[in-house]
Amino acid sequence: MEAAQEERLAALLAEVQVAILVTQGEQWPTATMQAFAETPEFDLLFIMNDASEKFQNLLKHPYVTVYLDAREKGKVETFEISRVLIQGIASEVARDGAEWEPMKEIFLKKSPFEAPFFKYPTLRMMRVSPRRLSYAGADRFTFKAEF
């Protein structure tokens, strides 16, 4: 991605609190609204219970789609809405691994309201590493990228 594209993507990710995470089940895809955080490399972090359908889906089918938009700041009637569709591969951030605390800090900095969930031993954190994305800005600036 070019620097201008990275700036636009970073700005959109920073202003949006929740994303739609789409996972693939045995038969049906499942879409859930989730709080998320982003790393400087544009990896997306999600937390979830280990018994949840989405977590079980991710273990079996790690290829996911994430959609997010800033519709509350755009004009819905003319579709002037900044949005991005990200397709990537999910992997678990190991609770006892070296990355857990730094990723937890990134997540809670963006979504401090999620802090109570970290007390549960069944909480899992997933990282989605982007492989491709499609961005459309409210100003009609668009681009696609592959990683």
Side-chain angles (χ1 to χ4, degrees):
M1 280 192 299
E2 299 170 6
Q5 294 170 334
E6 287 183 0
E7 287 174 19
R8 285 173 174 267
L9 179 58
L12 178 58
L13 292 174
E15 78 175 285
V16 176
Q17 284 293 125
V18 295
I20 305 298
L21 174 67
V22 183
T23 62
Q24 181 59 51
E26 292 305 314
Q27 183 174 5
W28 305 104
T30 298
T32 55
M33 185 179 292
Q34 299 272 136
F36 77 97
E38 67 280 357
T39 70
E41 301 79 28
F42 301 118
D43 286 357
L44 304 178
L45 303 172
F46 297 92
I47 61 170
M48 58 198 69
N49 187 290
D50 65 3
S52 67
E53 182 180 6
K54 60 191 161 246
F55 181 73
Q56 295 303 315
N57 288 348
L58 291 170
L59 293 179
K60 295 175 191 166
H61 309 283
Y63 288 79
V64 301
T65 297
V66 178
Y67 174 80
L68 56 93
D69 65 52
R71 73 184 82 173
E72 67 280 351
K73 295 184 180 182
K75 291 183 182 177
V76 173
E77 62 278 0
T78 56
F79 228 71
E80 294 173 59
I81 302 166
S82 293
R83 57 203 181 272
V84 66
L85 183 87
I86 299 171
Q87 294 173 312
I89 301 173
S91 60
E92 186 172 0
V93 177
R95 196 174 188 115
D96 58 354
E99 290 187 312
W100 179 264
E101 286 301 322
M103 295 300 110
K104 176 182 173 184
E105 186 177 314
I106 288 170
F107 188 86
L108 290 177
K109 183 177 179 184
K110 180 166 187 162
S111 301
F113 53 89
E114 297 279 12
F117 294 105
F118 280 87
K119 70 181 176 188
Y120 297 110
T122 56
L123 179 96
R124 298 293 181 261
M125 187 183 316
M126 298 299 285
R127 166 192 271 155
V128 175
S129 299
R131 292 298 183 259
R132 35 189 268 176
L133 66 82
S134 178
Y135 172 94
D139 61 357
R140 309 290 191 220
F141 179 86
T142 64
F143 66 90
K144 292 184 180 192
E146 297 210 15
F147 297 80

